[in-house]
Amino acid sequence: MTGEKSMTSEKSMTGERPSQPRIEPIDLVDVADDELRTTLASALTLDGRPLNIFGVLGHHPKLLKRFNQLGGFILNKGLIPERERELVILRIGWNAQAVYEFGQHTLIGLRCGLTDEEISALTKAPRDHEWSADDLALIAMADELSADDCVGDTTWSALAARWSDAELVELLIVA
């Protein structure tokens, strides 16, 4: 994908980006603890292995368990439709240059109804794609939170016209 930013950048604002994981994900084969094995086995997988985020969080089993509860709730029982949720996550991931997050949620986003064209458009200026007004408000929210940790009044008003207070809270948590 091309866009305004390159996710292949090797430098961050604080220096070189690591090219290898700093903490290796736990492999299910190496897990002796039954509860941790069960938790990892029930996590989202790719090719039969827990996604790396879950393998890394496995180094802190109590945190992994709570993270799975929150993430599982948002992914499976949240109020926000999955397509809109993934639109927000992908735009935040792109803005943060979070290569892993953007990659994982590209796969999830495709399963949730986003198109290749829409995912590519999330890497560019919003004016470069014909988004609905509702989608533009979600993208603006993600951009404003990424830039300033605050959603502006105009964007908030656009979001509040569609989403309930509970849904707005969930959108902020998703972001």
Side-chain angles (χ1 to χ4, degrees):
M1 292 181 175
T2 60
E4 295 173 349
K5 299 178 187 178
S6 169
M7 292 196 87
T8 59
S9 170
E10 293 184 19
K11 287 195 176 216
S12 70
M13 292 174 55
T14 57
E16 294 293 322
R17 289 189 177 275
S19 59
Q20 298 292 319
R22 290 183 172 148
I23 299 174
E24 287 291 329
I26 293 174
D27 191 323
L28 273 174
V29 174
D30 301 327
V31 176
D33 179 90
D34 288 337
E35 184 176 358
L36 178 56
R37 182 187 293 89
T38 300
T39 302
L40 285 172
S42 66
L44 291 175
T45 61
L46 181 63
D47 298 327
R49 295 184 52 160
L51 298 181
N52 287 346
I53 188 171
F54 302 112
V56 170
L57 285 171
H59 289 282
H60 191 319
K62 289 181 181 179
L63 179 61
L64 170 62
K65 189 172 185 177
R66 298 323 183 272
F67 181 85
N68 282 352
Q69 288 173 334
L70 176 61
F73 176 82
I74 289 171
L75 286 176
N76 300 308
K77 296 180 181 141
L79 301 172
I80 305 301
E82 60 187 9
R83 180 192 170 277
E84 286 79 359
R85 178 197 69 225
E86 293 304 314
L87 189 146
V88 170
I89 292 170
L90 283 163
R91 185 63 171 202
I92 289 285
W94 181 260
N95 288 341
Q97 295 294 279
V99 177
Y100 174 81
E101 190 75 2
F102 191 86
Q104 288 301 313
H105 281 275
T106 292
L107 300 173
I108 296 168
L110 288 168
R111 289 194 306 259
C112 292
L114 288 170
T115 66
D116 285 323
E117 180 184 351
E118 288 172 323
I119 292 170
S120 179
L122 288 169
T123 71
K124 301 173 182 130
R127 69 181 174 278
D128 293 343
H129 182 78
E130 289 189 36
W131 296 104
S132 71
D134 286 338
D135 287 351
L136 281 172
L138 293 171
I139 293 166
M141 178 195 74
D143 289 350
E144 292 168 16
L145 287 171
S146 295
D148 192 34
D149 295 325
C150 184
V151 179
D153 289 340
T154 301
T155 300
W156 190 260
S157 292
L159 292 167
R162 173 173 179 193
W163 304 102
S164 70
D165 285 350
E167 291 165 330
L168 290 167
V169 169
E170 187 174 313
L171 281 169
L172 294 172
I173 296 299
V174 164

